[in-house]
Amino acid sequence: MHELIRDITLCILFAWMLGLLAHFSRQPLILAYLIAGFCIGPFGAGWVKSQESISVISELGLIFMLFMIGLEIDLKKIVRAGRVILFAAGGQLLGGCLLGVLFFVGIGLSLGGGHFDAIYLCVACALSSTVIIVKVLYEKRELDTLPGRITLGVLVLQDIFAILFLAVQPSLANLEVTVILLSIGRVAVLVAAALLVSRYVLPRLFHQIARRPELILLGALAWCFLVAETAERLSLSREMGALIAGVSLSTFPYALDVTAKVTTLRDFFITLFFVALGMTIPVPGLSVIGLALMIAAFTVVSRLVTTFTPLYVMKQGLRASLLPALNLAQISEFSLVVIQTGVNDHHIAAETANAASFAFVVLAVLSTFVMTRSDEITRRAIGPLKRIGLRDLDHGCHAEESHEGGHGESRRIVILGFFRAASALLAEIERQAPVLLEQITVVDFNPNVYQTLLSRGLHVIYGDISSADTLLHAGVGKSEMIILSVPDALLKGASNEKLVRHVRALNPTAMIVATADLLSDVEELYAAGASYVTVTRLSDAHELFTVIEAAQAGLLADKRAELDLRLGERREVLP
């Protein structure tokens, strides 16, 4: 017991020290935890040698990690997932697993006879890292973009796929139809029972203790371990039970409260899991390094092929098809869970598991670097893809406009970039001066915006507004007014100031309306050549002040009714 406490102390101390180093060098924290485990483990300094300690620390961390993953799986979002996301996820998972089996069997890994290295690796390589992707997309403010939503949708469906594999995993050595059905049946019974209890029993209990945070935390942990132990009794696994416990709580009314309460404990035990995993990684030999590099290379290539292809077939355009493929090109922390369950059940060789862990580390570093520069990489890749014969969404409209009036045909007003402000502007024009819509050109590279505006009869050009060719094709040199309504934080490869300077060089006489994020940007935009600069915080402040006035006069209900009426009349492209 005293040895376990000492070992946990070393785990946390080294995880914190290397975590600080990772933070300042902008590397993934998971990488720091793995290295910390290696440093203090039996293959490093040897300060933690007890296999029992490593096993207990790893299992506790794994249970909490899967419980939290389950809490973050929103079943309602899966039900509402769009056709594009379902098709993309299906193509990526099925295609990735099929290519994985062919590749890993082709390089000599086992597929049967009690050894399932190829199966575990193809499943592991089909899953992407939620931790890395969400962190980078959040920092880039791309969670709410179309590629961001596609990426997150695919991640959720990957988690569901992993749950199904974990349900079948204990029976891999005896894969008969009856055995598979029995395993899935046990999972279905456990899921049904957990959902029923979380819907009809837990809400009443949690309502009674809603003002006692410590009891909410204790109740969530009790539920996690109860379902985990029940799963063990059903010949599943505690890890599988913890995942089901989290999923069942994700839809009940106190899910957000539970998640907030358990987050601190989650971080603690997830840290322990990855440190314990690092302890099991020996100093790699050349064969392990070679296999790790092959796993990493296969993951990147297969993800690009299996993600890009279905999105391109669904006519999402080159950019919106490439970005999710780049975002998803790494191995998931969930993959390490899958590999670890295989090691525990003696389904996979230790050398293969170590290679998978090294591949995870390599891709964690590389994918973070690639994702931060994904827009630049995509912009450079589109040209070569077009040259080999792949068509973008602008192919048809270029041909049509050349037939109608040639390159650079323009309308009086050009809107460069289309986000919520532009969506609201078009809705306002449609309500007050619909005839003006015939004089507007919209330029954007969101395929959904492109298709929606086309269906409404508007003149829209698919293209990147940071590209000189796109601006020339949009006819900004002949337009009377150019509107830049997208703030700098959301622009890719450009800024309002750079766009104003570029547009002003193309059209010295046009009225250019730009958008400022900061008050200090206003003068710079005017100096660059803007005719007028909008500052959204001013209009927001005015609206909020009228709300305060209405509330003080007892007219807030009337103001809300007025707003509801206005919202009901609008037909916006972006919700």
Side-chain angles (χ1 to χ4, degrees), residues 302-373:
S302 66
R303 195 76 87 251
L304 289 172
V305 172
T306 60
T307 305
F308 174 82
T309 303
L311 288 171
Y312 181 75
V313 170
M314 294 285 286
K315 296 183 178 179
Q316 295 303 295
L318 293 178
R319 181 179 182 275
S321 300
L322 274 172
L323 281 175
L326 292 174
N327 292 341
L328 294 163
Q330 72 284 122
I331 293 176
S332 172
E333 53 279 351
F334 209 158
S335 300
L336 300 183
V337 173
V338 170
I339 294 292
Q340 193 64 30
T341 57
V343 171
N344 294 340
D345 289 342
H346 307 290
H347 288 169
I348 181 172
E351 183 177 290
T352 306
N354 292 335
S357 298
F358 278 108
F360 169 85
V361 171
V362 170
L363 290 177
V365 175
L366 290 180
S367 68
T368 303
F369 176 81
V370 168
M371 285 181 66
T372 55
R373 294 160 178 80

XYZ file of all heavy atoms in Angstrom, residues 302-373:
546
model
N -3.903 6.618 -45.158
C -5.259 6.050 -45.172
C -6.293 7.080 -44.761
O -7.402 7.114 -45.292
C -5.339 4.831 -44.242
O -5.150 5.208 -42.890
N -5.935 7.971 -43.803
C -6.899 8.992 -43.374
C -7.167 9.986 -44.494
O -8.307 10.407 -44.707
C -6.380 9.723 -42.138
C -7.450 10.523 -41.433
C -8.404 9.629 -40.621
N -7.873 9.398 -39.297
C -7.380 8.224 -38.889
N -7.379 7.191 -39.688
N -6.918 8.080 -37.657
N -6.129 10.363 -45.214
C -6.317 11.282 -46.337
C -7.207 10.657 -47.408
O -8.111 11.305 -47.941
C -4.960 11.668 -46.936
C -4.092 12.599 -46.084
C -2.710 12.755 -46.694
C -4.752 13.970 -45.927
N -6.971 9.374 -47.702
C -7.748 8.704 -48.748
C -9.186 8.478 -48.305
O -10.135 8.806 -49.023
C -7.083 7.360 -49.131
C -7.988 6.553 -50.066
C -5.732 7.603 -49.780
N -9.365 7.924 -47.109
C -10.713 7.505 -46.685
C -11.574 8.652 -46.183
O -12.796 8.508 -46.097
C -10.615 6.429 -45.585
O -9.909 6.966 -44.453
C -9.901 5.199 -46.098
N -10.975 9.794 -45.826
C -11.779 10.956 -45.414
C -12.029 11.896 -46.588
O -13.150 12.368 -46.788
C -11.075 11.728 -44.276
O -10.788 10.834 -43.200
C -11.972 12.851 -43.757
N -10.988 12.174 -47.357
C -11.129 13.080 -48.495
C -12.107 12.519 -49.533
O -12.969 13.252 -50.041
C -9.763 13.319 -49.148
C -9.826 14.119 -50.413
C -9.888 15.502 -50.381
C -9.870 13.492 -51.661
C -9.960 16.247 -51.550
C -9.941 14.217 -52.833
C -9.990 15.606 -52.776
N -12.001 11.235 -49.853
C -12.789 10.657 -50.946
C -14.296 10.777 -50.733
O -15.006 11.290 -51.603
C -12.391 9.184 -51.176
O -10.985 9.124 -51.437
C -13.152 8.600 -52.349
N -14.860 10.315 -49.584
C -16.320 10.450 -49.426
C -16.792 11.894 -49.411
O -17.860 12.208 -49.936
C -16.615 9.738 -48.097
C -15.320 9.628 -47.400
C -14.265 9.575 -48.451
N -16.004 12.797 -48.805
C -16.404 14.209 -48.781
C -16.368 14.808 -50.179
O -17.253 15.587 -50.551
C -15.486 14.994 -47.842
C -15.670 14.732 -46.344
C -14.570 15.391 -45.536
C -17.042 15.226 -45.879
N -15.357 14.447 -50.958
C -15.267 14.945 -52.334
C -16.417 14.408 -53.178
O -17.009 15.153 -53.975
C -13.923 14.537 -52.936
C -13.719 15.031 -54.351
C -13.432 16.371 -54.604
C -13.838 14.166 -55.428
C -13.249 16.834 -55.898
C -13.663 14.613 -56.729
C -13.374 15.948 -56.963
O -13.213 16.402 -58.247
N -16.758 13.118 -52.982
C -17.888 12.521 -53.716
C -19.197 13.209 -53.331
O -20.093 13.362 -54.171
C -17.962 11.004 -53.432
C -19.251 10.408 -53.969
C -16.760 10.294 -54.042
N -19.292 13.668 -52.061
C -20.496 14.376 -51.603
C -20.505 15.841 -52.029
O -21.332 16.622 -51.565
C -20.586 14.292 -50.072
C -20.800 12.890 -49.541
S -22.477 12.308 -49.766
C -23.331 13.242 -48.512
N -19.549 16.230 -52.895
C -19.463 17.589 -53.457
C -19.295 18.660 -52.384
O -19.981 19.687 -52.392
C -20.696 17.874 -54.310
C -20.803 16.963 -55.529
C -21.994 17.319 -56.399
C -22.046 16.406 -57.634
N -23.198 16.705 -58.493
N -18.336 18.410 -51.478
C -18.022 19.404 -50.457
C -16.887 20.343 -50.886
O -16.516 21.240 -50.145
C -17.641 18.699 -49.154
C -18.766 17.920 -48.526
C -19.970 18.787 -48.245
O -19.915 19.717 -47.426
N -21.078 18.507 -48.916
N -16.336 20.112 -52.062
C -15.248 20.959 -52.544
C -13.900 20.474 -52.030
O -13.816 19.734 -51.046
N -12.839 20.893 -52.696
C -11.502 20.424 -52.333
C -11.103 20.872 -50.930
O -10.546 20.094 -50.149
C -10.479 20.931 -53.358
C -10.613 20.338 -54.777
C -9.581 20.957 -55.711
C -10.451 18.822 -54.745
N -11.379 22.120 -50.588
C -10.945 22.634 -49.291
C -11.661 21.937 -48.140
O -11.026 21.467 -47.197
C -11.204 24.144 -49.212
C -10.756 24.754 -47.891
C -11.000 26.247 -47.842
N -10.519 26.807 -46.596
C -11.238 26.834 -45.476
N -12.470 26.351 -45.449
N -10.721 27.353 -44.370
N -12.994 21.868 -48.189
C -13.770 21.258 -47.101
C -13.596 19.746 -47.060
O -14.000 19.112 -46.083
C -15.253 21.612 -47.245
N -13.014 19.162 -48.103
C -12.713 17.728 -48.086
C -11.310 17.468 -47.546
O -11.079 16.455 -46.888
C -12.830 17.143 -49.499
O -14.134 17.314 -50.015
N -10.381 18.388 -47.825
C -9.005 18.217 -47.375
C -8.822 18.533 -45.887
O -8.120 17.816 -45.171
C -8.072 19.119 -48.181
C -7.548 18.572 -49.510
C -6.802 19.667 -50.270
C -6.625 17.388 -49.266
N -9.451 19.615 -45.411
C -9.219 20.051 -44.030
C -9.593 18.986 -42.996
O -8.804 18.711 -42.088
C -9.964 21.362 -43.759
C -9.291 22.623 -44.295
C -10.158 23.849 -44.075
C -7.923 22.828 -43.636
N -10.801 18.355 -43.078
C -11.086 17.290 -42.108
C -10.101 16.138 -42.192
O -9.747 15.535 -41.168
C -12.506 16.843 -42.484
C -13.112 18.016 -43.179
C -11.974 18.638 -43.920
N -9.644 15.810 -43.409
C -8.670 14.722 -43.562
C -7.367 15.062 -42.839
O -6.772 14.209 -42.166
C -8.408 14.463 -45.045
N -6.913 16.312 -42.945
C -5.700 16.732 -42.230
C -5.942 16.774 -40.724
O -5.080 16.370 -39.934
C -5.257 18.117 -42.717
C -4.732 18.201 -44.159
C -4.468 19.654 -44.532
C -3.467 17.374 -44.325
N -7.121 17.257 -40.324
C -7.440 17.330 -38.895
C -7.425 15.959 -38.232
O -7.018 15.815 -37.077
C -8.826 17.961 -38.684
C -8.865 19.425 -39.045
O -7.831 20.088 -39.121
N -10.059 19.949 -39.292
N -7.888 14.947 -38.954
C -8.073 13.610 -38.376
C -6.840 12.720 -38.509
O -6.887 11.546 -38.105
C -9.270 12.928 -39.043
C -10.641 13.566 -38.788
C -11.664 13.073 -39.796
C -11.122 13.260 -37.368
N -5.747 13.235 -39.050
C -4.592 12.387 -39.392
C -3.673 12.150 -38.197
O -2.510 12.586 -38.192
C -3.824 13.002 -40.555
N -4.184 11.494 -37.166
C -3.356 11.043 -36.049
C -4.041 9.849 -35.378
O -5.135 9.466 -35.764
C -3.093 12.155 -35.031
C -4.254 12.564 -34.180
C -5.259 13.407 -34.894
O -6.416 13.036 -34.967
N -4.859 14.546 -35.456
N -3.382 9.257 -34.418
C -3.946 8.114 -33.682
C -4.550 8.633 -32.383
O -3.982 9.506 -31.723
C -2.870 7.052 -33.404
C -2.404 6.413 -34.719
C -3.391 5.960 -32.474
C -1.282 5.415 -34.564
N -5.680 8.068 -31.998
C -6.416 8.538 -30.828
C -5.830 8.005 -29.527
O -5.234 6.922 -29.486
C -7.878 8.103 -30.940
O -8.579 8.368 -29.749
N -6.050 8.772 -28.442
C -5.778 8.235 -27.114
C -6.677 7.022 -26.838
O -6.310 6.110 -26.108
C -5.980 9.309 -26.042
C -7.313 10.013 -26.058
C -7.389 11.130 -27.098
O -6.364 11.478 -27.696
O -8.496 11.637 -27.297
N -7.860 7.010 -27.470
C -8.760 5.859 -27.371
C -8.113 4.632 -28.027
O -8.343 3.491 -27.616
C -10.089 6.187 -28.055
C -11.277 5.474 -27.475
C -12.551 5.978 -27.660
C -11.146 4.300 -26.761
C -13.661 5.336 -27.130
C -12.241 3.648 -26.230
C -13.504 4.168 -26.407
N -7.282 4.859 -29.049
C -6.569 3.759 -29.693
C -5.639 3.069 -28.700
O -5.481 1.840 -28.721
C -5.746 4.277 -30.883
O -6.574 4.881 -31.843
N -5.005 3.868 -27.836
C -4.125 3.283 -26.823
C -4.926 2.438 -25.844
O -4.427 1.428 -25.330
C -3.378 4.393 -26.088
C -2.485 5.290 -26.955
C -1.744 6.300 -26.095
C -1.497 4.466 -27.761
N -6.180 2.865 -25.577
C -7.070 2.066 -24.729
C -7.355 0.727 -25.395
O -7.299 -0.344 -24.763
C -8.388 2.828 -24.465
C -9.391 1.949 -23.736
C -8.120 4.101 -23.687
N -7.688 0.768 -26.694
C -7.976 -0.458 -27.441
C -6.765 -1.385 -27.430
O -6.887 -2.600 -27.182
C -8.379 -0.111 -28.899
C -8.450 -1.369 -29.756
C -9.721 0.616 -28.921
N -5.585 -0.821 -27.691
C -4.350 -1.623 -27.689
C -4.108 -2.227 -26.311
O -3.736 -3.402 -26.178
C -3.148 -0.752 -28.112
C -3.280 -0.304 -29.569
C -1.843 -1.501 -27.884
C -3.154 -1.403 -30.583
N -4.336 -1.431 -25.252
C -4.084 -1.911 -23.891
C -5.008 -3.062 -23.528
O -4.590 -4.015 -22.863
C -4.247 -0.751 -22.898
C -3.713 -1.026 -21.503
C -2.213 -1.253 -21.487
O -1.486 -0.698 -22.310
N -1.732 -2.091 -20.586
N -6.267 -2.996 -23.956
C -7.184 -4.117 -23.684
C -6.708 -5.373 -24.407
O -6.837 -6.482 -23.886
C -8.620 -3.784 -24.131
O -8.625 -3.452 -25.522
C -9.197 -2.632 -23.334
N -6.154 -5.192 -25.603
C -5.608 -6.340 -26.329
C -4.407 -6.940 -25.632
O -4.251 -8.167 -25.592
N -3.542 -6.084 -25.062
C -2.384 -6.575 -24.312
C -2.835 -7.348 -23.078
O -2.315 -8.432 -22.770
C -1.466 -5.395 -23.912
C -0.376 -5.854 -22.957
C -0.852 -4.759 -25.144
N -3.829 -6.795 -22.363
C -4.333 -7.448 -21.149
C -4.903 -8.826 -21.447
O -4.819 -9.730 -20.610
C -5.386 -6.570 -20.472
C -4.805 -5.268 -19.944
O -3.592 -5.159 -19.737
N -5.650 -4.272 -19.728
N -5.524 -8.984 -22.626
C -6.127 -10.270 -22.995
C -5.188 -11.151 -23.818
O -5.614 -12.174 -24.365
C -7.425 -10.020 -23.787
C -8.539 -9.476 -22.914
O -8.442 -9.605 -21.681
O -9.498 -8.907 -23.465
N -3.929 -10.712 -23.935
C -2.902 -11.486 -24.664
C -3.292 -11.698 -26.129
O -2.978 -12.724 -26.718
C -2.653 -12.838 -23.987
C -2.343 -12.721 -22.520
N -1.161 -12.181 -22.051
C -3.088 -13.052 -21.419
C -1.180 -12.188 -20.717
N -2.329 -12.717 -20.309
N -3.966 -10.707 -26.716
C -4.355 -10.772 -28.130
C -3.305 -10.154 -29.045
O -3.345 -10.361 -30.254
C -5.674 -10.031 -28.352
C -6.858 -10.754 -27.803
N -8.108 -10.173 -27.702
C -7.002 -12.015 -27.329
C -8.962 -11.034 -27.190
N -8.311 -12.152 -26.944
N -2.421 -9.359 -28.472
C -1.498 -8.586 -29.298
C -0.106 -8.635 -28.680
O 0.044 -8.591 -27.444
C -2.000 -7.125 -29.445
C -1.059 -6.300 -30.333
C -2.191 -6.461 -28.102
C -1.617 -4.922 -30.654
N 0.919 -8.745 -29.509
C 2.291 -8.840 -29.018
C 2.742 -7.521 -28.398
O 2.329 -6.441 -28.826
C 3.224 -9.222 -30.167
N 3.602 -7.636 -27.380
C 4.096 -6.438 -26.685
C 4.846 -5.521 -27.651
O 4.744 -4.287 -27.571
C 5.005 -6.851 -25.533
N 5.587 -6.092 -28.587
C 6.333 -5.283 -29.550
C 5.397 -4.463 -30.427
O 5.655 -3.287 -30.701
C 7.201 -6.195 -30.422
C 8.077 -5.424 -31.405
C 8.987 -6.347 -32.213
O 9.923 -6.905 -31.622
O 8.738 -6.510 -33.422
N 4.276 -5.074 -30.840
C 3.294 -4.350 -31.655
C 2.660 -3.219 -30.860
O 2.464 -2.110 -31.373
C 2.204 -5.319 -32.151
O 2.816 -6.417 -32.817
C 1.246 -4.617 -33.098
N 2.326 -3.497 -29.589
C 1.730 -2.460 -28.740
C 2.695 -1.303 -28.536
O 2.301 -0.127 -28.574
C 1.331 -3.061 -27.389
N 3.968 -1.598 -28.326
C 4.968 -0.541 -28.145
C 5.101 0.298 -29.416
O 5.229 1.525 -29.358
C 6.316 -1.159 -27.783
C 6.308 -1.810 -26.418
O 5.508 -1.441 -25.558
N 7.169 -2.791 -26.210
N 5.083 -0.375 -30.572
C 5.175 0.360 -31.841
C 3.985 1.292 -32.016
O 4.131 2.426 -32.482
C 5.260 -0.625 -33.008
N 2.785 0.821 -31.630
C 1.588 1.669 -31.718
C 1.721 2.895 -30.821
O 1.328 4.002 -31.193
C 0.351 0.866 -31.351
N 2.284 2.716 -29.618
C 2.478 3.843 -28.702
C 3.457 4.866 -29.284
O 3.242 6.077 -29.198
C 2.988 3.347 -27.345
O 2.050 2.481 -26.738
N 4.546 4.374 -29.902
C 5.503 5.285 -30.523
C 4.887 6.004 -31.714
O 5.148 7.190 -31.945
C 6.759 4.535 -30.950
C 7.742 4.327 -29.831
C 7.923 3.076 -29.276
C 8.464 5.386 -29.314
C 8.807 2.886 -28.232
C 9.358 5.212 -28.273
C 9.536 3.953 -27.720
N 4.069 5.287 -32.481
C 3.385 5.922 -33.613
C 2.453 7.024 -33.113
O 2.341 8.091 -33.735
C 2.602 4.881 -34.406
N 1.772 6.774 -31.994
C 0.905 7.791 -31.391
C 1.702 9.049 -31.058
O 1.283 10.169 -31.349
C 0.241 7.239 -30.123
C -0.448 8.286 -29.292
C -1.749 8.675 -29.584
C 0.195 8.907 -28.235
C -2.393 9.650 -28.832
C -0.419 9.883 -27.482
C -1.730 10.254 -27.780
N 2.883 8.859 -30.445
C 3.724 9.999 -30.063
C 4.164 10.784 -31.299
O 4.069 12.021 -31.342
C 4.952 9.507 -29.266
C 5.947 10.648 -29.067
C 4.524 8.938 -27.926
N 4.630 10.073 -32.318
C 5.100 10.728 -33.549
C 3.983 11.554 -34.179
O 4.167 12.729 -34.543
C 5.620 9.672 -34.549
C 5.867 10.307 -35.917
C 6.896 9.032 -34.030
N 2.788 10.954 -34.295
C 1.675 11.646 -34.953
C 1.107 12.765 -34.084
O 0.589 13.748 -34.615
C 0.573 10.646 -35.318
C 0.937 9.672 -36.445
C -0.194 8.676 -36.674
C 1.230 10.430 -37.735
N 1.177 12.612 -32.761
C 0.694 13.676 -31.873
C 1.479 14.961 -32.118
O 0.916 16.058 -32.172
C 0.809 13.242 -30.413
N 2.798 14.827 -32.283
C 3.641 16.000 -32.527
C 3.420 16.535 -33.945
O 3.196 17.733 -34.150
C 5.127 15.640 -32.315
C 6.017 16.833 -32.678
C 5.369 15.222 -30.875
N 3.471 15.640 -34.937
C 3.352 16.071 -36.334
C 1.976 16.651 -36.637
O 1.867 17.668 -37.333
C 3.640 14.898 -37.270
C 5.089 14.407 -37.329
C 5.215 13.240 -38.290
C 6.031 15.536 -37.754
N 0.911 16.016 -36.140
C -0.439 16.486 -36.485
C -0.731 17.838 -35.856
O -1.442 18.660 -36.449
C -1.493 15.464 -36.056
O -1.577 15.380 -34.652
N -0.197 18.093 -34.660
C -0.364 19.420 -34.053
C 0.265 20.483 -34.941
O -0.319 21.547 -35.178
C 0.268 19.455 -32.652
O -0.319 18.439 -31.838
C 0.044 20.813 -31.994
N 1.461 20.186 -35.445
C 2.166 21.104 -36.348
C 1.370 21.301 -37.639
O 1.189 22.435 -38.108
C 3.554 20.543 -36.662
C 4.341 21.343 -37.652
C 5.039 22.481 -37.264
C 4.379 20.977 -38.989
C 5.761 23.223 -38.186
C 5.093 21.714 -39.917
C 5.792 22.848 -39.515
N 0.872 20.203 -38.229
C 0.142 20.274 -39.500
C -1.188 21.005 -39.323
O -1.571 21.837 -40.157
C -0.092 18.853 -40.062
C -1.085 18.888 -41.220
C 1.226 18.257 -40.537
N -1.918 20.709 -38.239
C -3.225 21.347 -38.030
C -3.116 22.853 -37.867
O -3.988 23.593 -38.318
C -3.922 20.737 -36.830
C -4.500 19.352 -37.070
S -5.335 18.711 -35.616
C -6.728 19.857 -35.492
N -2.047 23.311 -37.223
C -1.895 24.762 -37.055
C -1.622 25.454 -38.390
O -1.848 26.655 -38.517
C -0.747 25.079 -36.074
O 0.445 24.439 -36.518
C -1.089 24.589 -34.679
N -1.163 24.684 -39.371
C -0.876 25.249 -40.705
C -1.746 24.617 -41.784
O -1.395 24.637 -42.961
C 0.613 25.031 -41.042
C 1.554 25.800 -40.137
C 2.958 25.217 -40.139
N 3.861 25.989 -39.291
C 3.902 25.868 -37.969
N 3.102 25.006 -37.354
N 4.738 26.601 -37.254
